[in-house]
Amino acid sequence: MKGLITKDLLGLRQVALTMGLLMVFYLFLGFMNMKDSGGMMYFSIMALVVNVMVPLSCAGYDEQCGWDQFGASLPVSKNQIVLSRYLVCLLVIGFSTLVILAGNLIFAVLGGIPSGAAGYLLPIIGSLIYIAIMNPIIYKFGVQKSRIIVMAVFLVPSMLVAGISMIFANSASENSVPFIEVLGKIGSASPGQILGAEIGLTAGAAVIFALSMLLSVRIYKNKEL
Amino acid sequence: MANAIEIRNLRKTYGDFTLSIDSLEIPCGCIMGLVGSNGAGKSTMIKSILDLIKTDSGEITVNGMSNKLASSREEVGVVFDEIKFPQIFTAANVRLTLKGVYQDWDDQLWDKYIQQFRLPLDKKIKEFSRGMKMKLSLAAALAHHPKLLILDEATSGIDPVVRDEILDIFLEFIQDEQHTILASSHIISDLEKAADYVTFINNGQIVFCEEKDTLMEKYRIVKCGNEELASVNADDIVGKRTNTFGAELLMLSDKVPEGFVSAKAGIEDIMLMIIKNEDKK
């Protein structure tokens, strides 16, 4: 399984540079808004975008060169093939979380307002759920069809979020805050509330992630390569 | 002699095509050539052996183990018609990947093949020629000391010089009597040079599986004019190719009528004439 993870990580080098540059840009953007807790939230959202690109990027490379067929001819079980992909996703989520932590630390040292709990939770939980939905779709329908299905799956919630944001904006009083700052306010909650939210949301996302893994294994085992 | 591959009652249906193999044994220490036209079932058979597809029924063992077990592929090297690594990979990346997959991965053996094939370590696969890609696939398939090498159209699209170089590697590999090669190829001349046995598959069925030398002695090509053709017993004709002046007949050696001019039949002649005969039925 080590080899499968290595293969995915080596393949991701191609997109890593682009994603790295984007993250540096958003970090810079955060530094431009030092006194705004929402400043670093953009950086966190960018980390979320990077994380969720992993399954499609990896599967895209595999499909392009026919790796699926070759990978299954290696002495690895189909379970291991699927699990290694999920592990790669977790590794990238872990790495991006460390980058967010480091970014916030530097931000705080320089006198800025860190993003707070929401800044760490949003990319982790969002990525876990997004990847949990995407991976089985990719295994079932392949990369090309998945792009369309994923767009459709996420268009509805995105429109809902946009709608809610518009309601916020329309009913705005002089004291109201933009939606992004509402997320940032989670960081102002009591330590107990934060801990509860962290445990609850992360555990929920982890359960969805685990269920997705089982579903992907089931789909992959029935797949003709 | 133990068998490298055993197939029993294999069935796999795709729409109106069915691969149906009641029994096939590939003994250790031989090169088995798998021939047949496009869509005959060669790749389906190889995919079944590698457990890449869900078969409808049947049992397959590889090196004495069920092909359903991932460990049965530990001593198997596979080369497909195209290299299956991402195009941005270098040979060094391939090594790093497979080192983490095979228990018996041998860096020194890998280096030996990379040097022998004159492959660059830091050049991306997308910059490789087709011959280089195939050599890299072969190095990847051999560097973990496999006992069984499975080649699915591995030599197609490669120039004769590289093909010959690759054939030499196969012959070197087969020197160990524990080693076996199953090679499907459209290039019959390669199999005529290297194969010990030939399995001919047509419309999902095995037409024959025989030792190459026996096979080539078994059949003769008989060239005759139209008058002579009329005198030949139709039941003795295995295959026929007609022209304005007469015909070329594929016949069993012991059925060639006395006085007729006959020549040794090549695998390609045997295959083509049997397919034509089957199509006419």
XYZ file of all heavy atoms in Angstrom, chain B residues 63-155:
754
model
N 0.411 -19.747 -10.157
C 1.507 -20.274 -9.316
C 0.955 -21.070 -8.123
O 1.430 -20.932 -6.998
C 2.417 -19.134 -8.827
C 3.221 -18.523 -9.959
O 3.599 -19.199 -10.897
N 3.460 -17.221 -9.872
N -0.088 -21.812 -8.351
C -0.659 -22.697 -7.320
C -1.631 -22.026 -6.372
O -2.194 -22.676 -5.493
N -1.831 -20.716 -6.531
C -2.746 -19.984 -5.630
C -3.961 -19.477 -6.407
O -3.835 -19.188 -7.607
C -2.037 -18.772 -5.029
C -1.145 -19.094 -3.852
S -0.469 -17.571 -3.177
C 0.996 -17.400 -4.156
N -5.072 -19.326 -5.703
C -6.253 -18.766 -6.367
C -5.931 -17.353 -6.853
O -5.300 -16.571 -6.132
C -7.424 -18.701 -5.377
O -8.409 -17.833 -5.886
N -6.376 -17.035 -8.042
C -6.074 -15.697 -8.596
C -6.816 -14.588 -7.855
O -6.563 -13.412 -8.066
C -6.407 -15.643 -10.091
C -7.889 -15.672 -10.366
O -8.662 -16.241 -9.595
N -8.308 -15.074 -11.461
N -7.753 -14.975 -6.969
C -8.492 -13.973 -6.183
C -7.603 -13.383 -5.083
O -7.907 -12.310 -4.537
C -9.739 -14.585 -5.533
C -10.697 -15.252 -6.512
C -11.501 -14.232 -7.277
C -12.340 -14.904 -8.345
N -12.708 -14.012 -9.424
N -6.537 -14.128 -4.740
C -5.651 -13.645 -3.674
C -4.632 -12.668 -4.249
O -3.971 -12.973 -5.251
C -4.908 -14.823 -3.038
C -5.755 -15.883 -2.340
C -4.905 -17.108 -1.998
C -6.347 -15.295 -1.057
N -4.518 -11.519 -3.581
C -3.557 -10.512 -4.042
C -2.138 -11.081 -4.026
O -1.325 -10.776 -4.896
C -3.654 -9.275 -3.154
N -1.870 -11.961 -3.070
C -0.510 -12.514 -2.952
C -0.141 -13.395 -4.148
O 1.038 -13.632 -4.401
C -0.375 -13.296 -1.651
O -1.398 -14.262 -1.568
N -1.164 -13.883 -4.888
C -0.858 -14.714 -6.068
C -0.148 -13.883 -7.134
O 0.483 -14.426 -8.032
C -2.138 -15.328 -6.638
O -2.935 -14.335 -7.259
N -0.253 -12.549 -7.021
C 0.366 -11.676 -8.024
C 1.755 -11.189 -7.592
O 2.390 -10.422 -8.302
C -0.560 -10.492 -8.320
C -1.876 -10.923 -8.970
C -2.716 -9.748 -9.406
N -3.320 -9.046 -8.279
C -4.443 -9.412 -7.680
N -5.094 -10.479 -8.093
N -4.932 -8.723 -6.663
N 2.191 -11.648 -6.417
C 3.505 -11.240 -5.914
C 4.622 -11.720 -6.850
O 5.616 -11.025 -7.047
C 3.695 -11.820 -4.498
C 4.873 -11.291 -3.733
C 4.794 -9.811 -3.384
O 3.817 -9.384 -2.712
O 5.698 -9.082 -3.780
N 4.424 -12.910 -7.446
C 5.463 -13.458 -8.331
C 5.050 -13.380 -9.801
O 5.402 -14.234 -10.600
C 5.759 -14.901 -7.926
C 6.451 -14.973 -6.573
C 6.768 -16.393 -6.155
O 6.007 -17.305 -6.522
O 7.768 -16.572 -5.452
N 4.237 -12.363 -10.099
C 3.782 -12.174 -11.481
C 4.228 -10.789 -11.968
O 4.095 -9.806 -11.250
C 2.234 -12.270 -11.573
C 1.758 -12.017 -13.006
C 1.742 -13.626 -11.084
N 4.761 -10.743 -13.167
C 5.095 -9.457 -13.793
C 4.168 -9.268 -14.984
O 3.937 -10.218 -15.735
N 3.614 -8.076 -15.129
C 2.650 -7.855 -16.211
C 3.094 -6.696 -17.100
O 3.507 -5.646 -16.600
C 1.242 -7.532 -15.638
C 0.222 -7.425 -16.766
C 0.805 -8.591 -14.633
N 3.034 -6.921 -18.395
C 3.310 -5.832 -19.351
C 2.105 -5.721 -20.285
O 1.752 -6.678 -20.965
C 4.592 -6.097 -20.179
C 4.849 -4.943 -21.138
C 5.791 -6.305 -19.270
N 1.474 -4.565 -20.264
C 0.319 -4.332 -21.150
C 0.800 -3.706 -22.462
O 1.984 -3.396 -22.611
C -0.700 -3.423 -20.461
C -1.404 -4.070 -19.302
C -1.020 -3.831 -17.995
C -2.467 -4.938 -19.522
C -1.663 -4.432 -16.929
C -3.124 -5.545 -18.464
C -2.724 -5.292 -17.164
N -0.147 -3.461 -23.366
C 0.227 -2.889 -24.667
C 0.712 -1.448 -24.560
O 1.395 -0.941 -25.435
C -0.944 -2.995 -25.655
C -2.220 -2.368 -25.113
O -2.302 -2.140 -23.886
O -3.140 -2.100 -25.897
N 0.332 -0.774 -23.487
C 0.769 0.613 -23.260
C 1.346 0.698 -21.854
O 0.916 -0.050 -20.975
C -0.437 1.571 -23.326
C -1.124 1.657 -24.678
C -0.415 2.570 -25.643
O 0.471 3.332 -25.200
O -0.727 2.504 -26.843
N 2.254 1.647 -21.659
C 2.768 1.839 -20.298
C 1.650 2.434 -19.451
O 0.906 3.300 -19.907
C 4.050 2.706 -20.297
C 4.733 2.603 -18.939
C 3.776 4.153 -20.674
C 6.194 2.980 -18.952
N 1.519 1.967 -18.224
C 0.367 2.363 -17.408
C 0.738 3.301 -16.254
O -0.002 3.403 -15.282
C -0.322 1.117 -16.841
C -0.775 0.110 -17.894
C -2.003 0.581 -18.642
C -2.553 -0.508 -19.544
N -3.659 -0.049 -20.368
N 1.889 3.937 -16.371
C 2.281 4.898 -15.329
C 1.947 6.314 -15.803
O 1.973 6.567 -17.012
C 3.780 4.801 -15.050
C 4.182 3.521 -14.380
C 4.659 2.453 -15.107
C 4.042 3.377 -13.010
C 5.000 1.263 -14.497
C 4.384 2.195 -12.385
C 4.864 1.134 -13.128
N 1.677 7.232 -14.860
C 1.407 8.615 -15.277
C 2.541 9.170 -16.141
O 3.712 8.880 -15.875
C 1.307 9.366 -13.941
C 0.882 8.334 -12.960
C 1.527 7.054 -13.406
N 2.169 9.921 -17.146
C 3.141 10.433 -18.112
C 4.176 11.371 -17.482
O 5.239 11.579 -18.044
C 2.405 11.164 -19.243
C 1.489 10.273 -20.069
C 2.239 9.241 -20.886
O 3.092 9.580 -21.684
N 1.948 7.970 -20.670
N 3.844 11.919 -16.326
C 4.803 12.851 -15.695
C 5.839 12.090 -14.868
O 6.763 12.682 -14.324
C 4.086 13.896 -14.806
C 3.227 13.203 -13.734
C 3.263 14.853 -15.634
C 2.839 14.116 -12.588
N 5.679 10.780 -14.774
C 6.619 9.967 -13.997
C 7.952 9.811 -14.736
O 7.999 9.786 -15.961
C 6.030 8.580 -13.744
C 5.262 8.465 -12.457
C 4.551 9.534 -11.962
C 5.253 7.277 -11.727
C 3.847 9.438 -10.774
C 4.553 7.169 -10.536
C 3.854 8.252 -10.062
N 8.998 9.652 -13.937
C 10.307 9.281 -14.482
C 10.552 7.817 -14.093
O 9.783 7.254 -13.298
C 11.420 10.147 -13.854
O 11.407 9.910 -12.433
C 11.212 11.622 -14.125
N 11.620 7.239 -14.618
C 11.948 5.853 -14.256
C 12.196 5.760 -12.750
O 11.844 4.762 -12.111
C 13.166 5.396 -15.035
N 12.787 6.823 -12.193
C 13.061 6.839 -10.750
C 11.749 6.790 -9.957
O 11.658 6.130 -8.913
C 13.856 8.088 -10.390
N 10.720 7.483 -10.468
C 9.402 7.470 -9.810
C 8.767 6.078 -9.878
O 8.124 5.626 -8.927
C 8.441 8.465 -10.473
C 8.882 9.902 -10.307
O 8.564 10.749 -11.125
N 9.631 10.191 -9.266
N 8.955 5.415 -11.009
C 8.410 4.057 -11.176
C 9.045 3.133 -10.132
O 8.364 2.346 -9.473
C 8.673 3.533 -12.618
C 8.299 2.062 -12.741
C 7.890 4.357 -13.630
N 10.366 3.257 -9.988
C 11.071 2.423 -9.010
C 10.536 2.672 -7.596
O 10.221 1.735 -6.857
C 12.577 2.725 -9.035
C 13.402 1.839 -8.119
C 14.820 2.363 -7.979
N 14.873 3.607 -7.215
C 14.949 3.686 -5.893
N 14.991 2.587 -5.177
N 14.977 4.854 -5.282
N 10.386 3.961 -7.265
C 9.918 4.331 -5.926
C 8.530 3.752 -5.643
O 8.236 3.288 -4.542
C 9.868 5.863 -5.851
C 10.213 6.522 -4.531
C 11.583 6.105 -4.050
C 10.145 8.043 -4.657
N 7.671 3.779 -6.664
C 6.308 3.258 -6.522
C 6.314 1.743 -6.316
O 5.727 1.237 -5.355
C 5.472 3.614 -7.774
O 5.409 5.024 -7.884
C 4.065 3.052 -7.684
N 6.998 1.045 -7.214
C 6.934 -0.427 -7.176
C 7.731 -1.024 -6.026
O 7.413 -2.115 -5.545
C 7.394 -1.005 -8.521
C 6.487 -0.640 -9.698
C 6.997 -1.253 -10.977
C 5.044 -1.078 -9.451
N 8.733 -0.284 -5.575
C 9.508 -0.726 -4.399
C 8.582 -0.838 -3.185
O 8.775 -1.687 -2.317
C 10.615 0.301 -4.139
C 11.716 -0.146 -3.202
C 12.726 0.992 -3.110
C 13.659 0.854 -1.919
N 14.616 -0.206 -2.017
N 7.583 0.033 -3.150
C 6.631 0.022 -2.034
C 5.490 -0.964 -2.230
O 4.581 -1.036 -1.416
N 5.517 -1.689 -3.347
C 4.435 -2.643 -3.635
C 4.908 -4.096 -3.514
O 4.268 -4.915 -2.861
C 3.864 -2.399 -5.058
C 2.923 -3.523 -5.461
C 3.123 -1.066 -5.129
N 6.056 -4.395 -4.158
C 6.551 -5.784 -4.196
C 7.491 -6.080 -3.027
O 8.414 -5.307 -2.768
C 7.308 -6.038 -5.500
C 6.425 -6.090 -6.726
C 6.436 -5.060 -7.651
C 5.589 -7.168 -6.957
C 5.633 -5.101 -8.789
C 4.783 -7.220 -8.092
C 4.813 -6.190 -8.998
O 4.025 -6.238 -10.110
N 7.247 -7.205 -2.388
C 8.119 -7.610 -1.273
C 9.535 -7.913 -1.753
O 10.502 -7.652 -1.058
C 7.537 -8.852 -0.596
C 6.330 -8.534 0.273
C 5.710 -9.789 0.862
O 6.242 -10.875 0.764
N 4.560 -9.623 1.480
N 9.632 -8.505 -2.964
C 10.949 -8.932 -3.448
C 11.575 -7.949 -4.424
O 12.379 -8.338 -5.276
C 10.817 -10.312 -4.136
C 10.622 -11.416 -3.124
O 10.975 -11.205 -1.943
O 10.088 -12.484 -3.494
N 11.171 -6.711 -4.337
C 11.735 -5.715 -5.265
C 13.253 -5.673 -5.116
O 13.779 -5.648 -4.004
C 11.138 -4.331 -4.994
C 11.678 -3.301 -5.947
C 12.694 -2.428 -5.732
C 11.226 -3.078 -7.289
N 12.898 -1.662 -6.858
C 12.020 -2.040 -7.827
C 10.242 -3.653 -8.087
C 11.852 -1.565 -9.128
C 10.073 -3.169 -9.390
C 10.870 -2.138 -9.882
N 13.950 -5.678 -6.250
C 15.410 -5.740 -6.236
C 15.968 -4.514 -6.962
O 15.952 -4.441 -8.195
C 15.842 -7.043 -6.934
C 17.333 -7.282 -6.865
O 18.081 -6.309 -6.646
O 17.742 -8.442 -7.051
N 16.495 -3.561 -6.194
C 17.032 -2.323 -6.771
C 18.178 -2.591 -7.742
O 18.303 -1.923 -8.774
C 17.518 -1.391 -5.649
C 16.390 -0.488 -5.147
O 15.418 -0.278 -5.902
O 16.470 -0.011 -3.998
N 19.014 -3.573 -7.377
C 20.179 -3.861 -8.231
C 19.742 -4.424 -9.593
O 20.288 -4.061 -10.635
C 21.099 -4.852 -7.527
C 21.912 -4.173 -6.421
C 22.829 -5.131 -5.721
O 22.590 -6.339 -5.693
N 23.886 -4.605 -5.133
N 18.714 -5.295 -9.530
C 18.198 -5.877 -10.768
C 17.557 -4.783 -11.634
O 17.721 -4.754 -12.850
C 17.171 -6.976 -10.433
C 16.653 -7.829 -11.582
C 17.798 -8.535 -12.314
C 15.657 -8.879 -11.066
N 16.834 -3.888 -10.955
C 16.216 -2.742 -11.647
C 17.290 -1.912 -12.348
O 17.188 -1.613 -13.534
C 15.451 -1.906 -10.620
C 15.022 -0.542 -11.104
C 15.644 0.643 -10.848
C 13.883 -0.218 -11.921
N 14.960 1.676 -11.441
C 13.884 1.177 -12.103
C 12.865 -0.969 -12.499
C 12.903 1.834 -12.838
C 11.891 -0.313 -13.243
C 11.918 1.066 -13.401
N 18.361 -1.587 -11.596
C 19.458 -0.799 -12.171
C 20.068 -1.516 -13.373
O 20.405 -0.891 -14.379
C 20.540 -0.536 -11.111
C 20.061 0.430 -10.039
O 19.070 1.143 -10.296
O 20.662 0.455 -8.945
N 20.177 -2.845 -13.241
C 20.770 -3.644 -14.327
C 19.935 -3.495 -15.611
O 20.465 -3.233 -16.683
C 20.824 -5.119 -13.913
C 21.523 -6.021 -14.904
C 21.127 -7.469 -14.726
C 20.773 -8.038 -16.087
N 20.086 -9.264 -16.127
N 18.604 -3.611 -15.452
C 17.736 -3.490 -16.629
C 17.735 -2.066 -17.178
O 17.729 -1.861 -18.398
C 16.301 -3.926 -16.302
C 16.138 -5.425 -16.228
C 15.668 -6.044 -15.082
C 16.464 -6.231 -17.318
C 15.530 -7.429 -15.007
C 16.333 -7.607 -17.259
C 15.863 -8.202 -16.106
O 15.735 -9.557 -16.044
N 17.739 -1.087 -16.289
C 17.735 0.317 -16.737
C 18.987 0.603 -17.564
O 18.930 1.264 -18.605
C 17.618 1.277 -15.512
C 16.251 1.132 -14.831
C 17.896 2.730 -15.909
C 15.048 1.542 -15.668
N 20.116 0.065 -17.112
C 21.370 0.262 -17.854
C 21.359 -0.525 -19.170
O 21.729 -0.005 -20.219
C 22.550 -0.183 -16.994
C 22.947 0.880 -15.973
C 23.973 0.382 -14.980
O 24.614 -0.641 -15.185
N 24.099 1.090 -13.874
N 20.897 -1.774 -19.055
C 20.853 -2.627 -20.251
C 19.965 -2.035 -21.342
O 20.284 -2.085 -22.516
C 20.332 -4.009 -19.840
C 20.378 -5.043 -20.951
C 19.915 -6.416 -20.465
O 19.842 -6.690 -19.263
N 19.576 -7.275 -21.409
N 18.840 -1.430 -20.907
C 17.897 -0.845 -21.877
C 18.243 0.611 -22.215
O 17.535 1.256 -22.975
C 16.460 -0.890 -21.316
C 15.892 -2.275 -21.138
C 14.942 -2.532 -20.162
C 16.293 -3.317 -21.961
C 14.406 -3.808 -19.992
C 15.767 -4.585 -21.809
C 14.822 -4.840 -20.829
N 19.299 1.113 -21.601
C 19.760 2.497 -21.820
C 18.620 3.504 -21.587
O 18.327 4.369 -22.423
C 20.341 2.651 -23.235
C 21.546 1.764 -23.484
C 22.051 1.833 -24.909
N 21.070 1.398 -25.880
C 20.798 0.119 -26.158
N 21.428 -0.857 -25.517
N 19.891 -0.190 -27.062
N 17.963 3.369 -20.447
C 16.838 4.259 -20.123
C 17.297 5.384 -19.199
O 18.020 5.134 -18.232
C 15.715 3.469 -19.441
C 14.994 2.424 -20.300
C 14.072 1.570 -19.452
C 14.197 3.105 -21.403
N 16.887 6.629 -19.503
C 17.262 7.737 -18.617
C 16.428 7.704 -17.331
O 15.248 7.350 -17.374
C 16.930 8.977 -19.440
C 15.878 8.525 -20.390
C 16.075 7.072 -20.636
N 17.039 8.051 -16.216
C 16.322 7.991 -14.930
C 15.460 9.211 -14.675
O 14.454 9.149 -13.985
C 17.317 7.825 -13.786
C 17.814 6.407 -13.523
C 18.925 6.420 -12.505
C 16.677 5.503 -13.061
N 15.894 10.372 -15.231
C 15.221 11.615 -14.872
C 14.335 12.199 -15.984
O 13.784 13.277 -15.841
C 16.258 12.663 -14.421
C 17.381 12.795 -15.427
O 17.366 12.020 -16.413
O 18.259 13.637 -15.242
N 14.179 11.463 -17.066
C 13.348 11.950 -18.172
C 11.910 11.490 -17.947
O 11.677 10.341 -17.527
C 13.887 11.358 -19.479
C 13.614 12.161 -20.703
C 14.365 11.529 -21.877
C 14.016 12.216 -23.168
N 14.687 11.602 -24.300
N 10.952 12.377 -18.238
C 9.550 11.996 -18.038
C 9.110 10.978 -19.094
O 9.564 11.039 -20.243
C 8.645 13.230 -18.107
C 8.779 14.102 -16.879
C 7.923 15.334 -16.973
C 8.101 16.174 -15.722
N 7.537 17.512 -15.850
N 8.197 10.096 -18.698
C 7.731 9.038 -19.598
C 7.150 9.627 -20.886
O 7.309 9.056 -21.958
C 6.697 8.140 -18.877
C 7.400 7.299 -17.811
C 5.957 7.241 -19.852
C 6.466 6.484 -16.928
N 6.502 10.783 -20.771
C 5.889 11.377 -21.977
C 6.919 11.721 -23.053
O 6.569 11.871 -24.218
C 5.036 12.589 -21.617
C 5.764 13.756 -21.043
C 4.784 14.880 -20.722
C 5.474 15.982 -19.962
N 4.544 16.969 -19.426
N 8.191 11.821 -22.639
C 9.245 12.120 -23.614
C 9.890 10.844 -24.160
O 10.774 10.909 -25.004
C 10.312 13.004 -22.958
C 9.794 14.398 -22.609
C 10.669 15.101 -21.580
O 11.866 14.781 -21.484
O 10.128 15.952 -20.851
N 9.462 9.689 -23.665
C 10.027 8.409 -24.106
C 9.450 8.008 -25.469
O 8.303 8.325 -25.774
C 9.659 7.290 -23.112
C 10.538 7.216 -21.879
C 11.243 8.304 -21.432
C 10.643 6.022 -21.178
C 12.030 8.237 -20.292
C 11.432 5.933 -20.037
C 12.131 7.042 -19.596
N 10.248 7.273 -26.238
C 9.721 6.671 -27.472
C 8.895 5.449 -27.063
O 8.971 5.001 -25.913
C 10.867 6.226 -28.374
O 11.551 5.152 -27.760
N 8.131 4.894 -28.016
C 7.314 3.728 -27.688
C 8.181 2.546 -27.225
O 7.842 1.835 -26.286
C 6.464 3.334 -28.901
C 5.582 2.171 -28.598
C 4.438 1.963 -29.518
N 3.852 0.662 -29.230
C 3.010 0.422 -28.245
N 2.622 1.397 -27.456
N 2.535 -0.787 -28.025
N 9.306 2.390 -27.904
C 10.217 1.304 -27.538
C 10.746 1.479 -26.122
O 10.820 0.517 -25.346
N 11.097 2.717 -25.775
C 11.621 2.996 -24.419
C 10.549 2.733 -23.366
O 10.820 2.192 -22.294
C 12.088 4.458 -24.328
C 13.402 4.729 -25.043
S 13.635 6.488 -25.296
C 14.281 7.008 -23.731
N 9.306 3.129 -23.702
C 8.197 2.908 -22.755
C 8.022 1.415 -22.486
O 7.812 0.994 -21.356
C 6.893 3.485 -23.320
C 6.794 4.993 -23.245
C 5.492 5.466 -23.865
C 5.426 6.976 -23.902
N 4.291 7.490 -24.649
N 8.124 0.636 -23.571
C 7.928 -0.797 -23.416
C 9.061 -1.420 -22.610
O 8.845 -2.308 -21.786
C 7.812 -1.425 -24.806
C 6.964 -2.667 -24.857
S 5.551 -2.671 -23.754
C 4.489 -1.471 -24.530
N 10.284 -0.913 -22.843
C 11.431 -1.428 -22.081
C 11.276 -1.086 -20.599
O 11.609 -1.894 -19.735
C 12.727 -0.815 -22.626
C 13.171 -1.405 -23.948
C 14.420 -0.644 -24.394
C 14.932 -1.124 -25.722
N 16.050 -0.281 -26.178
N 10.767 0.116 -20.334
C 10.555 0.515 -18.942
C 9.493 -0.390 -18.289
O 9.661 -0.830 -17.141
C 10.119 1.988 -18.866
C 9.910 2.564 -17.466
C 11.215 2.557 -16.667
C 9.378 3.996 -17.528
N 8.432 -0.675 -19.035
C 7.388 -1.575 -18.520
C 7.972 -2.949 -18.214
O 7.633 -3.574 -17.208
C 6.271 -1.764 -19.548
O 5.604 -0.569 -19.751
N 8.863 -3.377 -19.106
C 9.464 -4.705 -18.941
C 10.391 -4.730 -17.720
O 10.364 -5.693 -16.937
C 10.231 -5.066 -20.222
C 10.650 -6.512 -20.383
C 9.447 -7.442 -20.342
C 11.387 -6.705 -21.709
N 11.174 -3.665 -17.565
C 12.058 -3.579 -16.390
C 11.225 -3.603 -15.113
O 11.560 -4.288 -14.142
C 12.886 -2.298 -16.456
N 10.090 -2.874 -15.142
C 9.200 -2.820 -13.969
C 8.587 -4.192 -13.683
O 8.361 -4.551 -12.531
C 8.094 -1.792 -14.209
N 8.365 -4.953 -14.756
C 7.738 -6.272 -14.585
C 8.739 -7.333 -14.134
O 8.346 -8.363 -13.597
C 7.090 -6.707 -15.896
N 10.033 -7.063 -14.361
C 11.033 -8.099 -14.062
C 11.825 -7.864 -12.777
O 12.445 -8.805 -12.269
C 12.024 -8.196 -15.232
C 11.491 -8.795 -16.533
C 12.484 -8.577 -17.668
C 11.198 -10.280 -16.366
N 11.803 -6.628 -12.274
C 12.711 -6.292 -11.169
C 12.286 -6.815 -9.789
O 12.910 -6.472 -8.792
C 12.924 -4.780 -11.118
N 11.236 -7.610 -9.745
C 10.863 -8.182 -8.442
C 10.937 -9.714 -8.475
O 10.277 -10.384 -7.700
C 9.455 -7.705 -8.032
C 8.372 -8.125 -8.979
N 8.143 -7.478 -10.169
C 7.485 -9.138 -8.937
C 7.144 -8.077 -10.803
N 6.736 -9.091 -10.073
N 11.738 -10.219 -9.393
C 11.961 -11.676 -9.538
C 10.661 -12.442 -9.730
O 10.354 -13.356 -8.950
C 12.714 -12.226 -8.314
C 14.047 -11.592 -8.089
N 15.146 -11.911 -8.836
C 14.424 -10.641 -7.211
C 16.172 -11.179 -8.425
N 15.756 -10.390 -7.441
N 9.879 -12.095 -10.758
C 8.635 -12.849 -10.968
C 8.928 -14.248 -11.497
O 9.971 -14.482 -12.108
C 7.904 -12.016 -12.023
C 9.004 -11.385 -12.808
C 10.108 -11.116 -11.835
N 7.983 -15.147 -11.259
C 8.099 -16.485 -11.844
C 7.278 -16.556 -13.127
O 7.524 -17.383 -13.980
C 7.578 -17.532 -10.852
C 8.565 -17.871 -9.755
C 8.005 -19.002 -8.917
C 8.975 -19.402 -7.828
N 8.358 -20.312 -6.874
N 6.263 -15.696 -13.173
C 5.376 -15.695 -14.329
C 5.322 -14.295 -14.938
O 5.119 -13.306 -14.220
C 3.965 -16.123 -13.881
C 2.825 -15.982 -14.893
C 3.032 -16.887 -16.099
C 1.488 -16.308 -14.226
N 5.522 -14.240 -16.233
C 5.456 -12.964 -16.935
C 4.258 -13.008 -17.880
O 4.142 -13.930 -18.689
C 6.755 -12.786 -17.731
C 7.161 -11.398 -18.207
C 7.220 -10.424 -17.063
C 8.522 -11.468 -18.893
N 3.353 -12.033 -17.726
C 2.179 -11.990 -18.598
C 2.287 -10.764 -19.491
O 2.428 -9.637 -19.003
C 0.875 -11.957 -17.763
C 0.748 -13.265 -16.963
C -0.348 -11.764 -18.665
C -0.498 -13.361 -16.093
N 2.238 -11.004 -20.785
C 2.414 -9.908 -21.750
C 1.180 -9.812 -22.639
O 0.839 -10.768 -23.327
C 3.637 -10.174 -22.627
C 4.916 -10.568 -21.867
C 5.808 -11.404 -22.719
C 5.638 -9.336 -21.391
N 0.518 -8.675 -22.585
C -0.681 -8.488 -23.396
C -0.358 -7.526 -24.540
O -0.347 -6.312 -24.352
C -1.820 -7.934 -22.519
C -3.160 -7.942 -23.237
O -3.216 -8.443 -24.374
O -4.147 -7.445 -22.662
N -0.080 -8.070 -25.689
C 0.278 -7.284 -26.885
C 1.462 -6.357 -26.604
O 1.495 -5.230 -27.083
C -0.928 -6.454 -27.366
C -2.141 -7.258 -27.753
C -1.964 -8.103 -29.003
O -0.958 -7.914 -29.697
O -2.816 -8.972 -29.245
N 2.403 -6.842 -25.830
C 3.510 -5.982 -25.391
C 4.431 -5.549 -26.521
O 5.067 -4.501 -26.427
C 4.313 -6.702 -24.319
N 4.517 -6.349 -27.581
C 5.479 -5.996 -28.625
C 4.846 -5.274 -29.818
O 5.536 -4.953 -30.781
C 6.191 -7.267 -29.155
O 5.202 -8.227 -29.518
C 7.129 -7.853 -28.120
